[in-house]
Amino acid sequence: MTVLAFHSPKGGAGNTLVTAAIARRAAIRGRAVSAYDLTRQDSLKLLFGLLPHQNLVGANGQAMVVRGVRLNGNYVTKGERDAAIERIKATPPDELALVDIASADWDGWEQIRRFADLSICVIEPNPIGLASLTRLGEQLPVTEREDIAIVLNKLDDRRKLSRHCHRFMKQLFVNQFVGSIRRDESANEAIARFESLVDYAPNSVIITDVDILIDSIEQRLAITGLVRDPQKLRAVNSAEHQTV
């Protein structure tokens, strides 16, 4: 199994958008994908074209599958949340589980990251976003944390500061930086129309960037040896042996 925990130290960075986009594109690529919304907003489903009042549990009591992704959310009580975390731990070997964690939910992030293959931190290209990364270091600085990857969201190439933040991030976090996603208003338009971005704007730059990001994340997992899929690890080891 592969578990990816998405968490931003600052709200509004687009953590839920990144989680949903990666889930949808991974499903299109043929992966078995489950997405868990551990936020109180319960907004992940909106990015799949569902309405705010729609329940993610089907008539058979199972999680609803929407556009190839098994959606899980609306955990009101602590018991429901704890049960969801146990289900994430029991993710089948061939499945990809993505967990959307609220920025203020540090306890939830700590719980998930203990067993997650990778914790993905989503930030915006601005000074406050960069400053928020100092909260992730704990005993080790972020640059020495193999269990953390950084994604820069809402990149605007037209803005000087945005470009400089992007360059700075790539230079400072050589091993942790896995990619960036450009700003595109079609993401908000899709949500307003209760449609998924892939269906509403299939040519969005976000989709292109997310496809590149997925490749980068898979490469990062394989290189660090954090992937739990034995077949994938054997393939990586074989490739490295042939290179040598």
Side-chain angles (χ1 to χ4, degrees):
M1 68 177 180
T2 304
V3 177
L4 303 180
F6 293 82
H7 177 261
S8 174
K10 179 185 176 298
N15 200 66
T16 301
L17 170 66
V18 176
T19 305
I22 291 179
R24 183 74 196 281
R25 295 304 292 176
I28 290 175
R29 289 182 173 201
R31 289 295 302 271
V33 182
S34 288
Y36 293 81
D37 187 346
L38 295 188
T39 72
R40 289 188 176 275
Q41 295 177 335
D42 196 32
S43 58
L44 181 64
K45 62 187 178 185
L46 303 182
L47 281 79
F48 286 83
L50 299 183
L51 300 176
H53 66 271
Q54 285 187 266
N55 196 333
L56 293 180
V57 179
N60 58 358
Q62 300 296 317
M64 184 182 298
V65 177
V66 183
R67 293 174 170 83
V69 178
R70 189 178 300 277
L71 295 179
N72 304 267
N74 193 29
Y75 303 118
V76 178
T77 68
K78 183 180 183 301
E80 291 174 337
R81 182 189 180 87
D82 291 343
I85 292 176
E86 291 303 314
R87 285 199 298 274
I88 298 170
K89 290 181 181 179
T91 300
D94 60 343
E95 188 169 302
L96 171 64
L98 299 97
V99 190
D100 181 19
I101 307 168
S103 60
D105 187 8
W106 290 94
D107 289 338
W109 181 62
E110 287 291 341
Q111 282 184 275
I112 300 296
R113 79 174 185 85
R114 290 192 186 104
F115 63 86
D117 294 275
L118 193 62
S119 293
I120 299 178
C121 174
V122 180
I123 66 168
E124 295 180 86
N126 58 46
I128 295 178
L130 299 183
S132 68
L133 288 172
T134 59
R135 300 191 64 188
L136 298 176
E138 296 182 346
Q139 288 81 12
L140 287 175
V142 179
T143 52
E144 297 180 20
R145 295 282 298 274
E146 286 191 345
D147 62 325
I148 291 179
I150 298 173
V151 173
L152 193 64
N153 190 32
K154 304 181 184 179
L155 174 64
D156 190 341
D157 293 329
R158 300 169 300 175
R159 304 293 183 181
K160 181 178 180 180
L161 181 58
S162 184
R163 296 196 305 271
H164 285 188
C165 286
H166 186 210
R167 188 179 306 118
F168 174 77
M169 294 294 295
K170 292 178 69 175
Q171 293 175 348
L172 179 62
F173 300 102
V174 177
N175 297 320
Q176 286 72 27
F177 189 81
V178 291
S180 57
I181 300 175
R182 286 168 286 180
R183 180 186 293 274
D184 187 349
E185 190 60 23
S186 63
N188 288 324
E189 294 172 357
I191 297 173
R193 294 170 61 94
F194 296 108
E195 296 184 31
S196 73
L197 178 64
V198 174
D199 297 324
Y200 175 73
N203 296 320
S204 170
V205 295
I206 293 177
I207 296 174
T208 301
D209 293 342
V210 167
D211 281 338
I212 297 173
L213 179 60
I214 291 174
D215 291 338
S216 180
I217 291 172
E218 289 182 344
Q219 182 180 26
R220 166 69 186 279
L221 288 170
I223 290 175
T224 59
L226 293 173
V227 171
R228 302 177 186 177
D229 184 345
Q231 292 183 348
K232 186 175 292 186
L233 285 177
R234 284 196 293 270
V236 172
N237 292 334
S238 176
E240 289 178 348
H241 178 74
Q242 292 175 4
T243 302
V244 175

